[in-house]
Amino acid sequence: MLARLLAFARGIARRRAIGAEFDEELQFHIEQAVDAQVRRGVTPDEARRVALVELGGMTATTEAVRDVRTMRLDRLWRDVRLAVRSLKNSPAFSMVALAVLALSIGATTAIFTVVDAVVLRGLPFDRPDRLVVVGERNVHDDAAALHKTTPQTFLDWRDRQDVLTGLAAVGYAEISVQGDQDPLPRNLRGQRVTADFFPVVGVTPVRGRAFRAEDEQPGRAAIAIISYQLWQQQFGGRPDVIGARLRGPRATFEIVGVMPAGFVYPIDTYLLGSREPVDVYVPYIFASSDRVRGTDYGYNLHVVGRLRDGVSLEVAAERMRQLTAALAAETPRWFEDSEVRVEPLHAFMTRSVRSWMMLLLMAVSCVLLIACVNLANLMLVRATTRTRELSIRAALGASGWDLVRALLIESLVLSLIGAAMGVVLAWWGLEALKTAIPIDVPRVSAIAIDLRVLVVITAVATATGLAFGLAPVLQLLWPSVGHGLQQGERLSTAGPRAHWLRRALVVTEVALAVVLLVGAGLFLTSFARVTGVGLGLDVQNVHAVQVRLAEIPDDPERAARRNRDHLLRALARVQSLPGVEAAAIAGGGLPLRGDLRTADFAIPGRQLSGLDIDFNQVSPEYFDTLKVPLLRGRAFTSGDVEASAPVVVLNRAAAARYFGVGEAIGQVVNVAGDRTVVGVVDNVRHDGPESDWRTQAFVPITQSRTFGATLVVRTTHGASDVVPGIRQAIATEFAGLPVRVDEGTLAEYFDRLVERRRFTMLLVGLFGALGLAIATVGIYGVMAYTVTQRTKEIGIRVALGARPSAILRSVLGDAAAQLLAGLTLGLTGGWMAARLVRSFLFGTTPNEPMVYAAVVVVLTAAGLTAALVPARRAARVDPVMALRAD
């Protein structure tokens, strides 16, 4: 169908050229016939007359051949013009139909564009199907998540493997730059990569060079490859950027390369996630401790490789398992409860979002299906009112195929115009959609409406047009021409088959709308419950500024104490700022941010081994600042210093687990040394509302040392007004020291934890509302048409004594019957669909009675309201005017 439409468009554009080519070809045949007659001795004039007679006449032949070659084209073009004219003559119908199509196809276009860029489309690398991720997995992890690996294991894999052309490691890099006039450094997004990274992904710098193996060695000069965007923004795209410097508090990097425009590696190694692309790539420098299997190690490397030609994924996975088994035999402790896995990069990248994205695509497809059913009903109503017109055309010689073709082309024209409007709406709303997409969704920068999307949407629009155009075609094929003429003379009632088809379509769109509304209600309930979970603290108006030394000095002990003292003085400055309600320091992880520290935990006199506990170093104001309730004992005070007795505060989960909440005070525990429990605070959901309580221990920051900490500031209103003062306090106290500063708010951290649920709830809710609106329009249209068709019948009933209230009840009863059937089917389908999305819900089951009750109330109210207008019109029918009407 699409090929025929394209050929049709080309034919329309080249009509004159085709005609000229035909005339030239016909003239050639005539000249050939004349030459043949002349060779037989006939005079030229007589030869031309004979040739034209044999050919059948110049005009007749021209028309006959032209009819054969262009008849179909002309008929199609004529039908298109008639379709446009017919739609212009029905502005109300056309506007409603185009609005339904534009909204449904626009929503479909936007969601498909997102799903295509994130999930369906291949990665923009050379032979992306050969790229794999290699990592370790905890065998006890039910989610079968592929984890990162250690530097030691990566180096052994790289040296011993023989199934990959290259194996590269990627890690997060903290890169900051600072100008002469900047009080604090400016953070850049950075990644540390090994020398094989760029060859593995198959991308080379557009300027300069890639990293080399020797760049991974300690002691080498600091070098960097920058992104195309940073080259344009910071260096103005100047060609002599190679050799330029990026000066930061930690190091000054020499630029050795510039990556191509648009290059983005799809795996984000940043802890908190970010929509911003990487600015700087630096070599991964392996320390001497990274090359031996000692007691210290961390799983901080993401590993990517490229399969050798002829090596399958299964062969590579088996070979990597053999290598890892050999390493485990050498150092068993390093591989306890873990196994190696090899997974395609694209599958790894989309694993966490694929099912969720497909859910959204199914939801918007349901909207499109509702629109299709709705338009089928409207087209059926419209075709019924055109019965006389179609019957007259048939009586004048139009074949059944001519009428079918005219109706289908009208549907296609309507659908394609609506699709064009929908694409415009999708293009307009796509940027807003991209900003609302959760931060953990990869490849957001690749989301755009391109030729691939337009081809798919054109095919969808064509299929939609054909689908809703079939309803009037089926109705057309049922009655005879004579019956149609009779109906044209007295249209009091429609045929029983058409009447049954319209009712079935109304029931179908109501049922589909119910399915969408049930889904929207369940996701709304799930989101309300996840945001209603008690966190144990108040996240509103809390600003968090993390300050860390950018490098480890030669004397770590002395530097850590100095850093702590700077932080305490900065805290005093911040506490004196206008608008600051409370402020504190947290030396460990901050709730909801995703970072935490653990420490070994023991109780003197008890045989407990292998225990650890969440560990944080805080100032005395910490619990008041976050509004964490104190349950027993006391919080820290200014008297808890290094010279005083070591103390600790436990949370309720830790106290209840080891002592009992009421018995914990005065107990001695070993966490960063022996300490006395002086207080118990309430639990805090450190990892967000969907996490369990963790055991936590807090120690005074004045009794410990830290290279970095977070200033936690609660303000009396929005935190933005005090941010400059906080930054100035840090800049004053850390002047001349290499520090890195990261900012955020607890509300932002919380939003990141629930943003996927919020996004899903908003989109499915929007689709549900759209489906409800379309179904309501469909109910109104069908009931209005039914009342029009029954005008004479209603007039007769009124003339015979029927009361207006009885007429009103009759019409509303008809609508209620269709609603009841649709609700019955829809609730059943909604319950079945709810079971399929159970895994996407939090604290919500597929059997939520309030959701189903709300859907019944909303849809019944909307449907009866839509039917009320034509019902009231029916109740006011004048019997005299109705019987006089033709």
Side-chain angles (χ1 to χ4, degrees), residues 275-356:
R275 294 189 180 93
E276 300 300 322
V278 172
D279 299 306
V280 181
Y281 300 88
V282 297
Y284 197 105
I285 307 297
F286 290 96
S288 57
S289 59
D290 292 334
R291 301 178 184 274
V292 295
R293 294 187 179 274
T295 57
D296 295 329
Y297 56 93
Y299 288 83
N300 52 20
L301 290 186
H302 163 78
V303 179
V304 60
R306 179 177 290 275
L307 295 173
R308 290 185 183 273
D309 292 339
V311 176
S312 67
L313 181 68
E314 293 74 17
V315 170
E318 180 59 31
R319 179 56 178 154
M320 295 306 296
R321 280 193 290 267
Q322 293 173 0
L323 291 179
T324 306
L327 294 173
E330 298 172 7
T331 52
R333 184 176 62 87
W334 281 60
F335 298 95
E336 291 179 352
D337 299 329
S338 70
E339 65 178 6
V340 66
R341 290 189 63 187
V342 180
E343 185 176 351
L345 175 60
H346 187 269
F348 173 79
M349 177 194 75
T350 59
R351 184 205 299 154
S352 64
V353 299
R354 177 180 293 274
S355 58
W356 171 64

Side-chain angles (χ1 to χ4, degrees), residues 312-482:
S312 67
L313 181 68
E314 293 74 17
V315 170
E318 180 59 31
R319 179 56 178 154
M320 295 306 296
R321 280 193 290 267
Q322 293 173 0
L323 291 179
T324 306
L327 294 173
E330 298 172 7
T331 52
R333 184 176 62 87
W334 281 60
F335 298 95
E336 291 179 352
D337 299 329
S338 70
E339 65 178 6
V340 66
R341 290 189 63 187
V342 180
E343 185 176 351
L345 175 60
H346 187 269
F348 173 79
M349 177 194 75
T350 59
R351 184 205 299 154
S352 64
V353 299
R354 177 180 293 274
S355 58
W356 171 64
M357 287 278 180
M358 291 304 165
L359 169 69
L360 296 180
L361 191 59
M362 290 173 59
V364 79
S365 298
C366 193
V367 173
L368 185 61
L369 188 57
I370 293 174
C372 189
V373 173
N374 179 274
L375 289 169
N377 221 340
L378 294 179
M379 292 293 287
L380 188 62
V381 169
R382 174 174 163 79
T384 303
T385 61
R386 298 170 63 191
T387 302
R388 173 179 286 184
E389 171 200 340
L390 297 174
S391 300
I392 292 175
R393 289 176 64 180
L396 293 176
S399 66
W401 167 242
D402 290 334
L403 299 180
V404 168
R405 187 181 65 246
L407 291 175
L408 289 179
I409 288 179
E410 183 174 305
S411 300
L412 284 174
V413 169
L414 190 65
S415 181
L416 291 174
I417 294 175
M421 297 170 62
V423 168
V424 173
L425 288 177
W427 177 82
W428 177 73
L430 204 55
E431 286 302 317
L433 187 64
K434 287 166 65 175
T435 59
I437 289 177
I439 205 168
D440 61 341
V441 174
R443 302 182 67 191
V444 173
S445 60
I447 297 174
I449 297 176
D450 57 10
L451 181 60
R452 171 182 166 120
V453 172
L454 292 177
V455 168
V456 172
I457 295 305
T458 301
V460 168
T462 302
T464 301
L466 292 175
F468 69 72
L470 285 177
V473 168
L474 292 175
Q475 179 175 265
L476 176 68
L477 297 177
W478 284 336
S480 66
V481 173

Side-chain angles (χ1 to χ4, degrees), residues 271-272 546 588-597 686-687 710 749:
L271 174 66
L272 299 179
Q546 190 176 27
L590 196 65
L592 310 179
R593 195 168 62 185
D595 57 336
L596 58 85
R597 293 171 58 187
H686 189 94
D687 297 323
T710 301
Y749 301 150

